[in-house]
Amino acid sequence: EAQVTQNPRYLITVTGKKLTVTCSQNMNHEYMSWYRQDPGLGLRQIYYSMNVEVTDKGDVPEGYKVSRKEKRNFPLILESPSPNQTSLYFCASSALGDTQYFGPGTRLTVL
Amino acid sequence: AQSVAQPEDQVNVAEGNPLTVKCTYSVSGNPYLFWYVQYPNRGLQFLLKYITGDNLVKGSYGFEAEFNKSQTSFHLKKPSALVSDSALYFCAPRDSWGKFQFGAGTQVVVTP
């Protein structure tokens, strides 16, 4: 089944404790992206990647890192999480220029 | 820089009545335009897209959208709304470099 998977689905952590949210797709898509969703703000793009080893900042990249060492994986790293990064995070992938497919979301709470 | 506006936070409609969710956009170059829907506690699902061609695009679940270049709009429509259409709808233009921009979302509430 074609899908985008994210792990973990739920995470509660404390300020400053490094964490990684994994994202994997099995559709051989070139394009992958991370978004955060906050009430009243819609989805805001954090980082995106057009292909392996190619990443670029979205609208809200501060406090986040990504890497794209393999085509299928696009992990999101929070080196020192802060409470303002409490949010619902979505990973998405697509063929270039085509429809994005979204993962189920990761609900992160930073205390 | 690209931008997107969904002017209504919420749209209320009675079941069986037509539904319209508005979207206007600003994108450099030729726009690629998408609509997504999010049901409660779920991820986003693709509804339809405009890349080129016919200005009226038909998508999933009976939805359609009309691309209007002069008004830079891409309104989502459904002739007869169902209670199950109650969800959060996002308009998302994409520029020629691959970057998507999502609107703030419009909550649709369909009452029986």
Side-chain angles (χ1 to χ4, degrees):
Chain A
E1 180 190 353
Q3 60 182 349
V4 179
T5 57
Q6 296 178 226
N7 283 292
R9 294 288 314 278
Y10 302 90
L11 179 59
I12 300 175
T13 189
V14 296
T15 298
K17 186 176 181 182
K18 181 180 178 180
L19 66 92
T20 299
V21 183
T22 64
C23 173
S24 183
Q25 50 96 1
N26 62 1
M27 295 169 278
N28 201 36
H29 285 162
E30 294 88 0
Y31 183 96
M32 297 186 74
S33 182
W34 276 103
Y35 298 88
R36 59 178 290 174
Q37 183 179 15
D38 302 289
L41 297 177
L43 271 74
R44 293 179 292 168
Q45 192 174 47
I46 302 170
Y47 270 95
Y48 65 100
S49 168
M50 302 280 279
N51 214 324
V52 176
E53 302 292 0
V54 180
T55 62
D56 210 346
K57 296 178 181 179
D59 297 315
V60 288
E62 295 77 18
Y64 304 94
K65 284 176 57 177
V66 293
S67 68
R68 187 92 183 272
K69 294 186 172 62
E70 305 166 282
K71 199 171 188 179
R72 63 183 292 126
N73 296 324
F74 191 45
L76 179 70
I77 303 158
L78 285 71
E79 296 267 2
S80 183
S82 62
N84 64 11
Q85 292 178 298
T86 292
S87 188
L88 179 59
Y89 291 87
F90 288 102
C91 180
S93 76
S94 73
L96 288 178
D98 207 346
T99 305
Q100 281 192 106
Y101 293 89
F102 283 80
T106 296
R107 188 167 293 281
L108 172 65
T109 301
V110 183
L111 302 174
Chain B
Q2 59 183 357
S3 64
V4 55
Q6 294 181 240
E8 299 154 316
D9 292 335
Q10 183 165 312
V11 169
N12 298 299
V13 63
E15 188 173 33
N17 283 359
L19 168 64
T20 299
V21 185
K22 296 179 181 176
C23 172
T24 59
Y25 65 90
S26 172
V27 174
S28 55
N30 291 324
Y32 301 77
L33 302 164
F34 296 77
W35 275 100
Y36 286 84
V37 60
Q38 185 180 29
Y39 297 101
N41 300 314
R42 302 284 295 276
L44 276 75
Q45 298 178 27
F46 168 74
L47 271 182
L48 51 79
K49 65 182 177 184
Y50 172 84
I51 303 296
T52 187
D54 195 347
N55 289 345
L56 184 64
V57 179
K58 294 189 183 297
S60 306
Y61 312 122
F63 283 93
E64 58 188 29
E66 186 165 13
F67 170 62
N68 188 316
K69 187 173 183 178
S70 62
Q71 297 185 5
T72 61
S73 67
F74 190 55
H75 301 330
L76 181 70
K77 300 181 180 183
K78 186 171 183 179
S80 179
L82 301 172
V83 172
S84 57
D85 293 328
S86 297
L88 186 57
Y89 291 80
F90 291 98
C91 179
R94 200 214 74 156
D95 67 18
S96 51
W97 296 101
K99 187 177 185 305
F100 282 81
Q101 185 87 30
F102 280 80
T106 298
Q107 185 69 49
V108 169
V109 178
V110 183
T111 52

